[in-house]
Amino acid sequence: MPKMLSKLPPMSAVRVFEAAARHQSFTRAAEELGMTQAAVSYQIKILEDRIGAPLFVRLPRQVSLTAKGRQLAPAVTEAFEALRTAFAGIEATAQTVLSISTLTTFAANWLVPRLGRFQQLHPDIAVQINISGQVVDFGQSDFDLGIRSGNGNWPGLEAHLLFPNLFTPVCSPTLLQGITLEEPSDILRFPIISPNDPWWQDWFSAAGVKDFDPSQRPDNYLGAQQFEGMAAMAGQGFALINPYFFPADLAAGRLVQPFDLLATSERGYWLVYPKARRRSAKIEAFRDWVLSEVAGDAEKTSAIIPMEAGA
């Protein structure tokens, strides 16, 4: 196989031959390839010298294939047609499939329930979602964009803040049936879901509670706010959640937020994608849609979420 590959002529010359043979014209081949007619003639001459036989008969106003040229042309044309088909398929997929890497709770509680609106606006774009807590290397993967939690500083990436990372304790109304919580420390009388989440300590500190000791509690860990919110709705205890992910549950009373205090960190939820791909039509479409959804949610969410306090 290596010897056969070493005998291949320059692909630039083969490409010129394919166009000239298909058009039966050096002039039309030059127009298609964006070359001069002299450059086409030069590339054909390189190929003929490599083969050791003429491929075209040059007439005053036209060219025609020789017997050797007619023997070579079908195989070369078929090979280039296969390449055109392959690249066309890749290009079509690249423009019509949008691959997103995102976080569990963002996908389940925010993105997926409203994704139909994006698909109504852009029915020609198929969306593929991958749930992962790992930071995706866009240079080593096929993902178009991602949703990340952080401070927005990722070299080489465009980053758009969607909403801040706020957190507050919530529970099921059945858990508080017949009970009135007077102050934040009263929460310590109840089971706490994922007590070793460091943001619990941040929230209690912001609330002035200094005697919270997670080591004295079962080390339960559910791994995602989505699951913690579900556990809270099931009456299993207090969960620490970002209200942006549970506006419907809070509005409907499935979750109760007993205290207005919202602690916050320097982190937020960001839409990110490589700067080199920022002009991609499908990325622009998704970016504009996501930002419009966030803006549209702002007024509705502000009616549910009280003013935040720094941690």
Side-chain angles (χ1 to χ4, degrees):
M1 183 63 70
K3 290 184 177 180
M4 291 179 64
L5 289 175
S6 68
K7 294 181 179 179
L8 282 174
M11 292 307 296
S12 57
V14 177
R15 177 169 173 259
V16 169
F17 169 76
E18 189 275 335
R22 180 162 33 87
H23 290 297
Q24 292 285 295
S25 167
F26 286 4
T27 301
R28 292 178 62 187
E31 292 172 352
E32 177 183 310
L33 300 175
M35 304 170 64
T36 64
Q37 185 174 341
V40 168
S41 295
Y42 176 73
Q43 291 295 328
I44 296 297
K45 186 66 167 58
I46 290 176
L47 196 58
E48 290 175 328
D49 289 345
R50 182 66 176 269
I51 293 173
L55 298 173
F56 289 92
V57 176
R58 280 89 166 160
L59 301 173
R61 294 185 179 276
Q62 65 182 37
V63 295
S64 62
L65 288 166
T66 63
K68 292 290 186 183
R70 289 193 299 273
Q71 179 184 347
L72 184 62
V76 173
T77 298
E78 182 179 351
F80 272 85
E81 189 57 38
L83 287 172
R84 291 188 188 97
T85 300
F87 278 100
I90 291 295
E91 183 178 357
T93 300
Q95 294 303 318
T96 60
V97 176
L98 184 72
S99 184
I100 304 169
S101 173
T102 184
L103 305 168
T104 300
T105 302
F106 186 93
N109 289 34
W110 196 93
L111 179 58
V112 172
R114 64 189 71 205
L115 196 56
R117 294 204 282 269
F118 174 76
Q119 293 178 321
Q120 285 180 341
L121 292 171
H122 303 281
D124 55 328
I125 299 177
V127 177
Q128 297 181 350
I129 294 177
N130 178 269
I131 307 298
S132 175
Q134 302 297 316
V135 175
V136 169
D137 182 352
F138 288 98
Q140 301 295 322
S141 71
D142 292 330
F143 290 110
D144 297 298
L145 42 77
I147 304 297
R148 289 187 181 177
S149 174
N151 60 12
N153 183 22
W154 293 284
L157 299 185
E158 295 281 357
H160 303 272
L161 179 64
L162 302 180
F163 40 79
N165 182 33
L166 306 173
F167 41 97
T168 191
V170 296
C171 67
S172 165
T174 59
L175 192 69
L176 298 180
Q177 196 164 12
I179 300 174
T180 301
L181 298 185
E182 301 290 345
E183 54 188 32
S185 61
D186 291 340
I187 292 176
L188 298 177
R189 294 155 39 197
F190 296 87
I192 290 181
I193 299 166
S194 298
N196 283 302
D197 182 337
W199 289 340
W200 270 115
Q201 196 69 260
D202 291 342
W203 188 87
F204 279 121
S205 295
V209 178
K210 299 180 180 179
D211 55 352
F212 171 62
D213 184 1
S215 67
Q216 301 302 311
R217 295 174 177 270
D219 189 17
N220 300 321
Y221 176 68
L222 300 186
Q225 283 188 55
Q226 178 201 14
F227 306 137
E228 292 166 356
M230 292 170 64
M233 280 185 269
Q236 296 176 20
F238 274 87
L240 198 64
I241 58 105
N242 186 330
Y244 277 95
F245 291 135
F246 298 89
D249 298 308
L250 289 164
R254 290 185 291 271
L255 286 175
V256 175
Q257 179 185 346
F259 299 102
D260 285 347
L261 177 65
L262 281 165
T264 182
S265 71
E266 295 179 354
R267 302 169 69 87
Y269 291 89
W270 301 77
L271 172 69
V272 300
Y273 50 86
K275 290 183 178 181
R277 301 183 212 167
R278 62 182 178 271
R279 300 193 186 280
S280 165
K282 63 181 180 180
I283 289 178
E284 286 184 339
F286 189 81
R287 177 201 64 205
D288 293 346
W289 173 77
V290 165
L291 295 180
S292 69
E293 286 286 318
V294 170
D297 282 354
E299 185 174 347
K300 292 182 290 184
T301 307
S302 64
I304 301 170
I305 301 177
M307 186 173 297
E308 66 191 76

